[in-house]
């Protein structure tokens, strides 16, 4: 989706959420590992809980980063450096779960 569409969508979400009592949200990422030879199928999910803030804050990131503040942090994803965001992201959580599985099961 082009930038202007994301920007318009964030504005709509922000306007809607101003009226909500609870503004909780989650980001989720799922990675599937399949080993056909060993007939193994594994699913690794990363979830990060947070809050949808009432206005767009920050300049970094993309999509929902300006309106999502992870729990236990005082800034949105868009206010974080790329390194900080990536270290706590839902994608990183699912990738680490996959990495640990591969390591513990002698795939590397």
């Amino acid at each position: 989706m082009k930038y202007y569409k994301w920007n318009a969508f964030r504005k709509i979400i922000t306007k809607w959420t101003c009226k909500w009592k609870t503004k909780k949200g989650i980001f989720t990422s799922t990675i599937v590992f399949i080993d056909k030879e060993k007939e193994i199928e594994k699913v690794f999910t990363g979830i990060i809980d947070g809050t949808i803030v009432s206005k767009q804050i920050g300049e970094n990131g993309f999509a929902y980063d300006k309106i999502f503040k992870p729990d236990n942090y005082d800034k949105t994803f868009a206010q974080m450096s790329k390194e900080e965001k990536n270290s706590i992201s839902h994608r990183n959580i699912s990738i680490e779960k996959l990495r640990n599985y591969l390591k513990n099961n002698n795939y590397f």
Side-chain angles (χ1 to χ4, degrees):
M1 192 176 287
K2 294 188 178 197
Y3 174 77
Y4 69 91
K5 290 182 181 178
W6 277 119
N7 197 36
F9 188 70
R10 280 195 304 265
K11 287 180 181 178
I12 291 168
I13 293 293
T14 302
K15 184 177 178 181
W16 287 343
T17 59
C18 288
K19 299 174 184 177
W20 297 351
K21 290 181 181 179
T22 303
K23 297 179 183 179
K24 298 302 289 178
I26 64 169
F27 271 120
T28 182
S29 168
T30 300
I31 298 174
V32 177
F33 172 76
I34 299 172
D35 183 333
K36 289 184 178 182
E37 291 177 12
K38 296 180 183 178
E39 297 182 356
I40 294 172
E41 296 178 1
K42 295 285 183 182
V43 177
F44 305 94
T45 301
I47 298 172
I48 186 159
D49 296 298
T51 302
I52 300 168
V53 299
S54 58
K55 65 178 185 172
Q56 296 183 45
I57 307 170
E59 298 300 321
N60 300 321
F62 62 97
Y64 304 109
D65 290 350
K66 291 183 178 186
I67 61 170
F68 186 81
K69 183 177 77 167
D71 286 351
N72 303 313
Y73 288 83
D74 60 353
K75 51 188 168 181
T76 65
F77 273 156
Q79 292 174 290
M80 296 179 181
S81 68
K82 184 177 179 180
E83 294 78 18
E84 183 178 14
K85 177 190 166 195
N86 288 342
S87 72
I88 65 166
S89 78
H90 53 296
R91 290 181 189 93
N92 185 58
I93 294 167
S94 59
I95 289 168
E96 284 300 315
K97 288 179 179 181
L98 170 61
R99 183 178 292 136
N100 288 335
Y101 175 82
L102 295 174
K103 184 178 179 182
N104 293 334
N105 290 279
N106 300 315
Y107 282 94
F108 63 87

